[in-house]
Amino acid sequence: MIVIMNPKCKDESIKEVKDYVEALGLKTHLSQGETFCIVGLIGDTSKIDEDKMIAIGEVDKVLKVGEPYKKANRLVKPENSIIDVLGNKIGGKNLAIMAGPCSVESEEQIVEIAKKVKESGANFLRGGAFKPRTSPYSFQGLEKEGLRLLEVAKKETGLPIVTEIMATEDLNDFVDRVDVIQVGARNMQNFHLLKELGKTKTPILLKRGLSSTIEEWIMSAEYIMAGGNENVILCERGIRTFETYTRNTLDLSAIPVVKRLTHLPVIVDPSHATGKNWLVEPLAKSAVIAGADGLMIEVHNNPAKALCDGAQSIKPEEFSKIMDKIKVLAQVEGRDIEGI
Ligand code: PEP
Ligand code: MN
């Protein structure tokens, strides 16, 4: 349930609404902007007397929220959330570009790629240190050493780090050293991990689960937000369908859908969505046109020798060419790429 108040209402009226609701054992969530003032009610709303609420004054409307997600719901916060990561904004008019290898492999590799993607216009460095691999015999990532190497690359380039967490035992390390914590597709419904991430303030990039519906995906964001961390960025990375030609099927429609249902930024990962390097460009461009708030692209200096996901990785030169086209598209669409 949400209480839509007069945007210019007095603080006392908001307090009166909150006092009434909280006395009934519910929690409230205030969302206020220039043109709106909304009090979201969280808990059992069956005890609420809508007429009583209207009688408080300065309450324009009381609406039932049908969706099970409250904090992520656009009804509760009509304006787009903008998440600031070391001065790089994600959401709103901004187009965030996250690029880097699937896995951090060595200092030379990560620093070289970081410098090159930055030169082409990326404003975040991605790179896996803890890798969720299907086979236990595959390269599992450099783990803590990988985090250290990401920090070296950040020092060299200033690019904020985006990297995946797999277990809560690494949480303290991630909170201290990582700028955006990625939750991979395989952990999207690891509710214990989501709850722990909800206790932090670090921005969380939440990838869509392999076979998750849009509502399940948003509910996972809600887990993080319910804990108090509202800095959530969604990432569409393709879902499983009957089609096997591509690694996954990129659900482009999820972008406008998620943006209609929630106020959260949504970025697109065309690399994992397709599994093929030559499909990265057309789908990256399509994602921008469909309204994505950013892109996550796998870039490797030597894809043929990559320890993970070489087939979908593009070379820095190819990334640079794609970025030239993305910059033109961004201009046409009235979007900003921070730092360009
Ligand atoms: C990744 O980004 O490296 C990754 C493993 O992605 P996903 O969780 O989308 O498969
Ligand atoms: Mn990968």
Side-chain angles (χ1 to χ4, degrees):
M1 190 176 266
I2 61 172
V3 183
I4 302 176
M5 307 204 50
N6 179 335
K8 305 260 175 299
C9 67
K10 294 189 230 65
D11 288 348
E12 299 94 82
S13 307
I14 299 174
K15 186 176 177 307
E16 228 180 300
V17 168
K18 281 179 145 189
D19 287 349
Y20 167 65
V21 170
E22 285 168 9
L24 294 171
L26 283 89
K27 287 198 174 124
T28 58
H29 176 259
L30 176 67
S31 172
Q32 215 169 358
E34 290 232 330
T35 54
F36 64 92
C37 176
I38 294 171
V39 184
L41 313 189
I42 301 159
D44 178 10
T45 52
S46 61
K47 306 171 211 161
I48 300 282
D49 180 341
E50 291 179 34
D51 291 340
K52 236 182 210 169
M53 200 104 74
I54 300 275
I56 288 174
E58 300 207 277
V59 170
D60 286 344
K61 242 192 274 176
V62 179
L63 284 183
K64 290 217 163 68
V65 178
E67 295 84 10
Y69 45 87
K70 312 293 174 195
K71 294 209 165 187
N73 205 311
R74 186 161 301 264
L75 284 174
V76 172
K77 184 169 180 246
E79 62 186 26
N80 293 318
S81 282
I82 299 177
I83 296 164
D84 193 305
V85 185
L86 305 179
N88 295 282
K89 296 189 185 71
I90 310 174
K93 270 176 64 192
N94 309 284
L95 196 59
I97 308 290
M98 305 176 179
C102 180
S103 311
V104 181
E105 297 172 7
S106 68
E107 179 168 333
E108 224 185 341
Q109 176 239 24
I110 193 70
V111 171
E112 182 185 331
I113 298 172
K115 283 184 178 162
K116 290 196 167 151
V117 297
K118 183 179 179 178
E119 247 175 57
S120 307
N123 37 31
F124 290 83
L125 174 66
R126 68 141 286 147
F130 296 82
K131 293 303 303 176
R133 303 305 301 277
T134 303
S135 165
Y137 308 117
S138 302
F139 175 58
Q140 303 286 307
L142 297 180
E143 304 186 336
K144 281 192 195 239
E145 173 64 2
L147 284 188
R148 189 186 72 77
L149 297 180
L150 283 166
E151 287 178 304
V152 173
K154 176 180 172 181
K155 217 175 230 166
E156 292 269 342
T157 59
L159 290 179
I161 301 167
V162 186
T163 193
E164 177 167 354
I165 192 164
M166 299 236 292
T168 50
E169 70 211 33
D170 298 318
L171 192 61
N172 289 341
D173 259 347
F174 272 68
V175 167
D176 292 344
R177 303 161 66 184
V178 171
D179 302 298
V180 178
I181 302 178
Q182 177 173 323
V183 175
R186 290 152 194 83
N187 267 316
M188 188 205 84
Q189 286 192 315
N190 180 341
F191 300 119
H192 180 64
L193 177 62
L194 301 179
K195 281 186 197 167
E196 291 301 311
L197 291 167
K199 295 177 191 162
T200 76
K201 286 280 168 252
T202 308
I204 309 296
L205 182 106
L206 179 66
K207 287 196 147 192
R208 183 174 179 181
L210 307 173
S211 301
S212 298
T213 64
I214 289 174
E215 187 164 295
E216 286 164 343
W217 185 22
I218 301 173
M219 286 310 287
S220 289
E222 189 77 14
Y223 257 94
I224 301 167
M225 299 174 84
N229 186 354
E230 305 211 353
N231 301 316
V232 180
I233 304 137
L234 298 169
C235 177
E236 162 63 40
R237 45 77 72 204
I239 46 173
R240 284 215 171 158
T241 66
F242 55 81
E243 182 57 73
T244 53
Y245 186 81
T246 44
R247 184 176 179 181
N248 292 290
T249 298
L250 181 63
D251 183 5
L252 278 173
S253 61
I255 305 162
V257 170
V258 153
K259 292 188 74 71
R260 186 187 181 94
L261 299 178
T262 81
H263 52 84
L264 300 175
V266 56
I267 71 157
V268 168
D269 171 350
S271 309
H272 290 89
T274 62
K276 290 179 166 43
N277 53 15
W278 57 275
L279 280 173
V280 170
E281 176 178 334
L283 293 183
K285 292 192 291 196
S286 311
V288 172
I289 298 196
D293 294 294
L295 297 167
M296 172 177 264
I297 296 180
E298 282 190 345
V299 179
H300 198 286
N301 48 354
N302 189 353
K305 292 255 167 68
L307 296 181
C308 183
D309 287 350
Q312 68 195 35
S313 299
I314 56 173
K315 295 184 183 148
E317 311 84 80
E318 293 165 323
F319 176 70
S320 167
K321 284 192 190 134
I322 294 177
M323 280 304 295
D324 287 343
K325 296 180 189 172
I326 296 290
K327 286 173 203 165
V328 174
L329 272 183
Q331 220 168 17
V332 173
E333 298 282 317
R335 316 288 299 279
D336 297 331
I337 303 179
E338 203 84 39
I340 292 183

Short mmCIF file of all heavy atoms in Angstrom, two decimals, residues 101-103 126 128 131-133 164 182 207 247 269 271-272 298 308-310 312-313, ligand 2:
data_model
loop_
_atom_site.label_atom_id
_atom_site.label_comp_id
_atom_site.label_asym_id
_atom_site.label_seq_id
_atom_site.Cartn_x
_atom_site.Cartn_y
_atom_site.Cartn_z
N PRO A 101 38.06 -8.41 -18.66
CA PRO A 101 38.06 -9.84 -18.94
C PRO A 101 37.06 -10.61 -18.10
O PRO A 101 36.63 -10.11 -17.05
CB PRO A 101 39.48 -10.26 -18.57
CG PRO A 101 39.89 -9.30 -17.50
CD PRO A 101 39.23 -7.99 -17.86
N CYS A 102 36.74 -11.81 -18.55
CA CYS A 102 35.90 -12.68 -17.74
C CYS A 102 36.60 -12.87 -16.40
O CYS A 102 36.04 -12.60 -15.35
CB CYS A 102 35.69 -14.01 -18.44
SG CYS A 102 34.65 -15.11 -17.48
N SER A 103 37.88 -13.30 -16.46
CA SER A 103 38.64 -13.55 -15.23
C SER A 103 39.92 -12.75 -15.21
O SER A 103 40.56 -12.55 -16.25
CB SER A 103 39.07 -15.02 -15.15
OG SER A 103 37.99 -15.85 -15.41
N ARG A 126 35.51 -4.47 -15.18
CA ARG A 126 34.99 -5.73 -14.67
C ARG A 126 36.10 -6.78 -14.72
O ARG A 126 37.03 -6.68 -15.54
CB ARG A 126 33.77 -6.22 -15.44
CG ARG A 126 33.98 -6.64 -16.87
CD ARG A 126 33.16 -7.88 -17.25
NE ARG A 126 33.67 -9.10 -16.67
CZ ARG A 126 32.95 -10.13 -16.28
NH1 ARG A 126 31.63 -10.09 -16.38
NH2 ARG A 126 33.51 -11.23 -15.79
N GLY A 128 36.58 -11.12 -13.10
CA GLY A 128 36.22 -12.10 -12.08
C GLY A 128 37.44 -12.57 -11.32
O GLY A 128 38.47 -12.91 -11.90
N LYS A 131 35.37 -17.29 -9.55
CA LYS A 131 34.58 -17.63 -10.72
C LYS A 131 33.61 -18.79 -10.46
O LYS A 131 34.01 -19.84 -9.98
CB LYS A 131 35.51 -18.06 -11.88
CG LYS A 131 36.39 -16.96 -12.43
CD LYS A 131 35.61 -15.75 -12.93
CE LYS A 131 34.58 -16.05 -13.99
NZ LYS A 131 33.80 -14.84 -14.35
N PRO A 132 32.34 -18.58 -10.81
CA PRO A 132 31.38 -19.69 -10.69
C PRO A 132 31.46 -20.56 -11.94
O PRO A 132 30.87 -20.22 -12.96
CB PRO A 132 30.04 -18.94 -10.62
CG PRO A 132 30.27 -17.68 -11.42
CD PRO A 132 31.74 -17.37 -11.37
N ARG A 133 32.18 -21.65 -11.92
CA ARG A 133 32.35 -22.48 -13.11
C ARG A 133 31.48 -23.73 -13.04
O ARG A 133 31.32 -24.33 -11.98
CB ARG A 133 33.83 -22.89 -13.27
CG ARG A 133 34.81 -21.73 -13.35
CD ARG A 133 34.48 -20.73 -14.44
NE ARG A 133 34.45 -21.29 -15.78
CZ ARG A 133 35.52 -21.48 -16.55
NH1 ARG A 133 36.73 -21.14 -16.11
NH2 ARG A 133 35.39 -21.97 -17.75
N GLU A 164 32.61 -10.26 -8.95
CA GLU A 164 31.57 -11.14 -8.39
C GLU A 164 31.92 -11.74 -7.04
O GLU A 164 33.04 -12.24 -6.85
CB GLU A 164 31.28 -12.28 -9.40
CG GLU A 164 30.27 -13.29 -8.88
CD GLU A 164 29.74 -14.24 -9.94
OE1 GLU A 164 30.06 -14.06 -11.14
OE2 GLU A 164 28.99 -15.15 -9.56
N GLN A 182 29.23 -7.73 -7.67
CA GLN A 182 28.36 -8.44 -8.61
C GLN A 182 27.82 -9.72 -7.97
O GLN A 182 28.56 -10.46 -7.34
CB GLN A 182 29.18 -8.79 -9.86
CG GLN A 182 28.44 -9.59 -10.91
CD GLN A 182 29.27 -9.73 -12.18
OE1 GLN A 182 29.98 -8.80 -12.58
NE2 GLN A 182 29.19 -10.88 -12.83
N LYS A 207 22.71 -9.85 -11.31
CA LYS A 207 22.43 -10.44 -12.62
C LYS A 207 21.16 -11.27 -12.58
O LYS A 207 20.82 -11.83 -11.54
CB LYS A 207 23.64 -11.28 -13.05
CG LYS A 207 24.83 -10.41 -13.46
CD LYS A 207 25.83 -11.22 -14.21
CE LYS A 207 26.52 -10.40 -15.26
NZ LYS A 207 27.30 -11.25 -16.17
N ARG A 247 24.45 -18.86 -26.54
CA ARG A 247 24.63 -19.41 -25.19
C ARG A 247 23.37 -19.22 -24.34
O ARG A 247 22.95 -20.09 -23.59
CB ARG A 247 25.83 -18.69 -24.54
CG ARG A 247 26.19 -19.20 -23.17
CD ARG A 247 27.45 -18.51 -22.64
NE ARG A 247 27.77 -18.99 -21.33
CZ ARG A 247 28.80 -18.56 -20.61
NH1 ARG A 247 29.62 -17.65 -21.09
NH2 ARG A 247 29.03 -19.05 -19.41
N ASP A 269 24.37 -7.28 -20.45
CA ASP A 269 25.63 -8.00 -20.70
C ASP A 269 25.44 -8.83 -21.98
O ASP A 269 24.91 -9.94 -21.94
CB ASP A 269 25.92 -8.90 -19.49
CG ASP A 269 27.08 -9.86 -19.71
OD1 ASP A 269 27.57 -9.99 -20.85
OD2 ASP A 269 27.49 -10.51 -18.74
N SER A 271 27.69 -10.18 -23.75
CA SER A 271 28.71 -11.23 -23.88
C SER A 271 28.17 -12.57 -23.38
O SER A 271 28.17 -13.57 -24.10
CB SER A 271 29.97 -10.85 -23.10
OG SER A 271 30.39 -9.54 -23.43
N HIS A 272 27.70 -12.59 -22.12
CA HIS A 272 27.15 -13.85 -21.59
C HIS A 272 25.82 -14.19 -22.26
O HIS A 272 25.43 -15.35 -22.33
CB HIS A 272 27.01 -13.78 -20.07
CG HIS A 272 28.34 -13.78 -19.38
ND1 HIS A 272 29.03 -12.64 -19.11
CD2 HIS A 272 29.13 -14.80 -18.97
CE1 HIS A 272 30.18 -12.94 -18.54
NE2 HIS A 272 30.28 -14.25 -18.45
N GLU A 298 32.69 -8.27 -22.09
CA GLU A 298 33.95 -8.97 -21.82
C GLU A 298 34.99 -8.64 -22.90
O GLU A 298 34.75 -8.84 -24.09
CB GLU A 298 33.71 -10.49 -21.71
CG GLU A 298 33.11 -10.82 -20.35
CD GLU A 298 33.04 -12.30 -20.02
OE1 GLU A 298 33.19 -13.15 -20.92
OE2 GLU A 298 32.82 -12.61 -18.84
N CYS A 308 38.92 -18.30 -19.49
CA CYS A 308 37.46 -18.43 -19.31
C CYS A 308 36.75 -17.56 -20.36
O CYS A 308 37.15 -16.41 -20.57
CB CYS A 308 37.13 -17.95 -17.90
SG CYS A 308 35.42 -18.09 -17.44
N ASP A 309 35.75 -18.11 -21.02
CA ASP A 309 34.88 -17.35 -21.93
C ASP A 309 35.59 -16.63 -23.08
O ASP A 309 35.17 -15.52 -23.49
CB ASP A 309 34.05 -16.33 -21.13
CG ASP A 309 32.94 -17.02 -20.33
OD1 ASP A 309 32.70 -18.22 -20.53
OD2 ASP A 309 32.32 -16.34 -19.49
N GLY A 310 36.62 -17.28 -23.66
CA GLY A 310 37.32 -16.68 -24.79
C GLY A 310 36.43 -16.45 -26.01
O GLY A 310 36.56 -15.44 -26.70
N GLN A 312 33.45 -15.55 -26.36
CA GLN A 312 32.56 -14.37 -26.33
C GLN A 312 33.33 -13.09 -26.06
O GLN A 312 32.74 -12.01 -26.03
CB GLN A 312 31.46 -14.56 -25.28
CG GLN A 312 31.98 -14.55 -23.83
CD GLN A 312 30.96 -15.08 -22.85
OE1 GLN A 312 30.20 -16.00 -23.16
NE2 GLN A 312 30.91 -14.52 -21.66
N SER A 313 34.65 -13.23 -25.87
CA SER A 313 35.44 -12.03 -25.53
C SER A 313 35.89 -11.34 -26.80
O SER A 313 36.27 -11.97 -27.78
CB SER A 313 36.66 -12.44 -24.71
OG SER A 313 36.25 -13.06 -23.52
MN MN B 2 32.44 -14.70 -18.30
#
